[in-house]
Amino acid sequence: MSFDQWVLDSAVSQRTAWLVDVVDVITDSGGTLASWLIATLLTIVLLVRGLRTDALLIAGSMLTGLLVMSGLKRIFTRTRPPLPERLIEIDSYSFPSGHAMMSAILATSVAAVILRLALPRLAKMAMLASLGLYTIAVGFSRVYLAAHWMTDVLAGWAFGMVWAGVWIWGTAQIRKRRALVTS
């Protein structure tokens, strides 16, 4: 038995009606609509506060991340877990998990912004832990509902963190250039 099948069988064996309802809420919180609402709100707040480069990081990483994720799905064309285990109607490809990838991009990008804020260390640590738990919960929700194989989620997290890392690096270069110009 493969790792993916073992994880799926384990998740299915742990299902209860109330937990499926809870996990549905978690998975919805990492879906396209919720992620875009969060990213849009954060981008607006950052722009209003004059943090244009941070706003670019959030908006840019999410917009381009969606394109990268869609392209990866078309390249790999992996099928989703089978019915009846799958509790979600979805007809797109499975690899990588879009929920895991986009929540990882959002969490990693927001973490980079938080690290630059002048906040007490405990507040930063709590926010960073919350972001990590959020993307982990979203990813596991996809496996629990059999919308994805575990390796889809692991790849989504990895691709998402790398993509956010590219944007974090890019916006750091913009900051360096601006600092040279103003000095």
Side-chain angles (χ1 to χ4, degrees):
M1 175 184 302
S2 74
F3 170 72
D4 278 325
Q5 190 62 56
W6 176 77
V7 172
L8 178 64
D9 291 346
S10 298
V12 169
S13 73
Q14 300 300 316
R15 283 186 185 155
T16 62
W18 72 269
L19 192 51
V20 167
D21 291 340
V22 169
V23 172
D24 269 331
V25 171
I26 293 169
T27 213
D28 288 346
S29 79
T32 304
L33 178 61
S35 293
W36 286 106
L37 286 174
I38 294 166
T40 301
L41 178 64
L42 285 171
T43 299
I44 292 167
V45 167
L46 292 167
L47 286 171
V48 167
R49 292 182 173 247
L51 301 170
R52 292 187 329 228
T53 306
D54 288 332
L56 175 65
L57 169 61
I58 301 297
S61 65
M62 290 294 287
L63 287 169
T64 59
L66 180 63
L67 297 173
V68 169
M69 182 266 300
S70 297
L72 289 169
K73 284 182 178 287
R74 286 184 178 85
I75 290 169
F76 290 104
T77 64
R78 185 179 195 190
T79 58
R80 292 185 182 270
L83 296 171
E85 289 88 354
R86 186 165 18 108
L87 299 181
I88 294 178
E89 279 293 319
I90 194 162
D91 61 356
S92 63
Y93 294 116
S94 191
F95 186 93
S97 165
H99 279 67
M101 185 170 169
M102 297 308 293
S103 69
I105 291 170
L106 183 59
T108 305
S109 299
V110 171
V113 172
I114 288 170
L115 287 172
R116 281 192 293 282
L117 295 176
L119 296 171
R121 182 182 168 151
L122 186 59
K124 283 184 183 182
M125 297 307 289
M127 288 180 203
L128 296 175
S130 296
L131 289 168
L133 290 173
Y134 161 72
T135 193
I136 289 168
V138 168
F140 281 129
S141 76
R142 304 306 287 166
V143 175
Y144 187 80
L145 298 172
H148 285 286
W149 301 104
M150 189 68 218
T151 51
D152 300 338
V153 170
L154 293 171
W157 286 332
F159 284 131
M161 287 186 287
V162 167
W163 192 250
V166 167
W167 274 88
I168 292 165
W169 178 83
T171 54
Q173 300 310 304
I174 292 170
R175 279 184 180 73
K176 285 180 187 175
R177 282 191 214 124
R178 283 188 184 152
L180 288 174
V181 169
T182 59
S183 61

